[in-house]
Amino acid sequence: MLSYRFAARSHGHEWPAYFQRRAAEVQDPLLRRFFAADWPAPDTPIGEVPLVALDLETTGLDVQRHAIVSIGLVPFNLDRIMLAQRRYWLVRPSRPLSEASIAFHRITHSEVAEAPDLGDILPELLEALSGRLAVVHFRHIERPFLDEAIKARLGEGVRFPVIDTMSLEARLYRLSLWSRLRRWMRRPPVSIRLGDSRRRYGLPLYQGHHALVDALATAELFQAQVASHYGPELPVSALWT
């Protein structure tokens, strides 16, 4: 198992103070309940933490120019995945779909025309996330896009700790001595994309770019990462960011 040496990087002990401060200062009752939820303490073993895999599909990668089109959530822990509690929302983006986006996600103009605005599903979304540690693959999508979308609708944004399975793979395959040796030998870097990461753990290949399927794939990947490299006793602050 890996040591706890990464814990200092995550600044995990700042999150409880942040939640307490935000619960006292936000005006919207939805956000007040979200921040006041029973969040795991930094020293909680990861095996005891309620988790939720989260995936967003967006019209592009720039939070200032693109928007959310679908959201997938899958609650889980290290022992089981609660598929019966899974949630999936198709939402109407605040910016038009591009042809590239339609080809990528296979979500069409007619589908989003009938979909609700993200603001309409916010009560359900925030309730599903409250008190659960979100697990994502590439945190630079889920957290900033949700923050911007909620800020546009409620006038106040939201941030929360996440575990990024892509970052965990980067620790192993991009920042290690072995990876530096590969670069010195001019070998291509090891892919840390979701499908390639899953393949290293013997997980099945799923059709990607669907928010619910990718959320499930992320949950399974994290379970495999912890089983292979960390262990359930690791404090959550060593993994969240």
Side-chain angles (χ1 to χ4, degrees):
M1 296 298 178
L2 295 182
S3 73
Y4 297 175
R5 64 185 179 275
F6 296 110
R9 295 183 184 179
S10 66
H11 307 293
H13 291 275
E14 298 175 4
W15 283 113
Y18 168 80
F19 282 129
Q20 186 176 23
R21 184 180 73 253
R22 293 289 285 149
E25 68 187 15
V26 294
Q27 300 300 309
D28 189 271
L30 284 177
L31 294 183
R32 192 177 304 120
R33 286 196 297 271
F34 176 80
F35 287 119
D38 186 18
W39 296 94
D43 59 352
T44 307
I46 186 62
E48 300 176 10
V49 173
L51 305 166
V52 60
L54 169 66
D55 187 80
L56 305 184
E57 298 300 321
T58 62
T59 59
L61 301 179
D62 186 343
V63 70
Q64 300 301 325
R65 297 190 301 114
H66 300 120
I68 299 167
V69 291
S70 63
I71 303 170
L73 289 176
V74 179
F76 74 107
N77 56 40
L78 296 186
D79 297 319
R80 59 188 290 260
I81 293 174
M82 295 77 161
L83 276 178
Q85 300 175 33
R86 68 192 183 274
R87 303 301 303 273
Y88 175 73
W89 296 276
L90 189 67
V91 296
R92 186 171 65 252
S94 56
R95 296 169 177 85
L97 294 175
S98 66
E99 294 305 313
S101 172
I102 294 171
F104 195 68
H105 304 303
R106 300 175 296 279
I107 296 172
T108 65
H109 291 290
S110 60
E111 288 176 310
V112 297
E114 301 297 323
D117 181 77
L118 187 139
D120 296 330
I121 61 107
L122 263 184
E124 298 172 81
L125 174 61
L126 290 176
E127 181 180 3
L129 290 173
S130 291
R132 289 185 175 272
L133 182 57
V135 180
V136 303
H137 195 78
F138 191 53
R139 66 184 183 275
H140 301 295
I141 294 294
E142 278 75 18
R143 197 157 53 184
F145 269 89
L146 275 181
D147 182 49
E148 190 68 23
I150 292 172
K151 192 181 300 179
R153 289 158 178 83
L154 301 182
E156 303 173 286
V158 59
R159 289 184 66 80
F160 48 89
V162 300
I163 295 175
D164 184 357
T165 52
M166 178 180 277
S167 292
L168 297 186
E169 289 297 284
R171 293 179 183 180
L172 296 164
Y173 299 106
R174 295 286 180 88
L175 305 177
S176 65
L177 177 61
W178 179 73
S179 64
R180 291 196 293 269
L181 180 61
R182 284 181 62 91
R183 288 196 295 271
W184 180 78
M185 296 172 65
R186 299 185 184 279
R187 300 278 183 87
V190 173
S191 172
I192 55 175
R193 295 173 68 89
L194 181 55
D196 294 325
S197 297
R198 286 174 57 83
R199 192 174 293 112
R200 278 191 288 276
Y201 298 90
L203 296 169
L205 182 64
Y206 294 157
Q207 181 68 46
H209 308 305
H210 184 286
L212 187 57
V213 174
D214 284 352
L216 173 61
T218 299
E220 293 176 344
L221 174 59
F222 183 64
Q223 288 178 326
Q225 289 174 323
V226 174
S228 299
H229 304 297
Y230 300 103
E233 74 284 351
L234 185 70
V236 68
S237 60
L239 297 176
W240 71 13
T241 184

